[in-house]
Amino acid sequence: AQSVTQPDIHITVSEGASLELRCNYSYGATPYLFWYVQSPGQGLQLLLKYFSGDTLVQGIKGFEAEFKRSQSSFNLRKPSVHWSDAAEYFCAVGLPASKIIFGSGTRLSIRP
Amino acid sequence: DARVTQTPRHKVTEMGQEVTMRCQPILGHNTVFWYRQTMMQGLELLAYFRNRAPLDDSGMPKDRFSAEMPDATLATLKIQPSEPRDSAVYFCASGLTQGRPTEAFFGQGTRLTVV
């Protein structure tokens, strides 16, 4: 069955430090992959997406993600985090007929 | 600035009452999703529509939940009768599907509390 796994429930990093959030998917065909961010009390906002082509994709707010087929991973990275990046981050996979399923999320806290 | 609009933003109701949540998708989008978010279960896909037709509602408890799209500008999610375990944030999202999976644009959600 198709699934998305985000192994880290909560991560704390210092402001200015680099960030990597992990995402693994289970899907037999070429996946369509997304990262979303959710601030408290808000809906989800798309950070970036991968459909095909270059496996390193750039998104908004300085985020990037790399698709690695051999590892079934789509990890999110940012070279230097800001206090405003504190939020919940969701990885998602798009399936045929446009069904989208989400991982359980990773909560990011920023240490001053 | 195109956005998905959900009403109401907050709803408190008593157990057994009917609850209706409404969603106005982004104009021109042909795919509408309903998700439920809880601490325990995370984001669950309840149902989704393409061109107003339901494609998959397997995530929805059929005995009490129903989802419809009366027209292209309105999607509704009804719970009747409501139960305390239905307390959650319900998100509507829309997207434009053109031959491949679409990204979903989310509304602000309806926070439902059933007492």
Side-chain angles (χ1 to χ4, degrees):
Chain A
Q2 305 95 348
S3 65
V4 180
T5 302
Q6 294 180 248
D8 302 307
I9 296 173
H10 183 205
I11 285 182
T12 300
V13 300
S14 297
E15 189 167 17
S18 64
L19 170 70
E20 182 167 27
L21 301 183
R22 296 183 290 165
C23 172
N24 292 95
Y25 65 90
S26 173
Y27 181 55
T30 301
Y32 296 88
L33 297 162
F34 310 93
W35 274 100
Y36 284 82
V37 61
Q38 183 182 29
S39 298
Q42 301 297 312
L44 280 72
Q45 180 186 19
L46 181 69
L47 282 176
L48 47 79
K49 62 189 178 188
Y50 171 77
F51 284 168
S52 64
D54 193 346
T55 56
L56 183 64
V57 293
Q58 302 297 319
I60 62 172
K61 305 185 181 188
F63 286 92
E64 66 178 25
E66 186 171 13
F67 169 59
K68 293 185 177 180
R69 184 188 302 277
S70 61
Q71 299 177 18
S72 297
S73 69
F74 188 56
N75 294 349
L76 182 71
R77 301 194 294 247
K78 187 169 185 178
S80 176
V81 297
H82 185 261
W83 65 266
S84 60
D85 293 325
E88 186 103 19
Y89 291 81
F90 292 91
C91 182
V93 61
L95 305 174
S98 290
K99 187 172 185 176
I100 301 177
I101 59 172
F102 285 82
S104 54
T106 297
R107 184 161 62 94
L108 174 64
S109 298
I110 306 297
R111 191 184 300 119
Chain B
D1 184 24
R3 62 180 65 189
V4 175
T5 303
Q6 290 187 247
T7 56
R9 290 292 313 278
H10 302 273
K11 176 72 176 179
V12 180
T13 191
E14 293 185 347
M15 181 173 61
Q17 296 298 304
E18 177 179 301
V19 176
T20 298
M21 291 169 270
R22 294 178 173 79
C23 169
Q24 181 176 359
I26 292 173
L27 188 65
H29 281 186
N30 61 359
T31 306
V32 174
F33 308 85
W34 282 106
Y35 288 90
R36 176 171 63 185
Q37 185 176 39
T38 61
M39 290 289 292
M40 295 301 295
Q41 300 298 325
L43 269 166
E44 303 172 275
L45 178 63
L46 297 176
Y48 72 109
F49 295 75
R50 172 95 54 76
N51 298 323
R52 297 175 54 201
L55 286 188
D56 187 345
D57 61 0
S58 59
M60 211 162 59
K62 300 293 192 305
D63 56 338
R64 300 183 300 107
F65 284 61
S66 63
E68 296 178 344
M69 283 201 71
D71 61 59
T73 65
L74 177 64
T76 61
L77 179 66
K78 291 185 181 180
I79 308 174
Q80 168 63 22
S82 58
E83 298 181 2
R85 59 179 167 153
D86 301 328
S87 297
V89 181
Y90 291 81
F91 286 105
C92 175
S94 70
L96 180 59
T97 302
Q98 292 178 310
R100 67 181 182 187
T102 178
E103 66 237 50
F105 295 82
F106 279 75
Q108 300 274 63
T110 294
R111 181 175 295 276
L112 174 65
T113 303
V114 183
V115 298

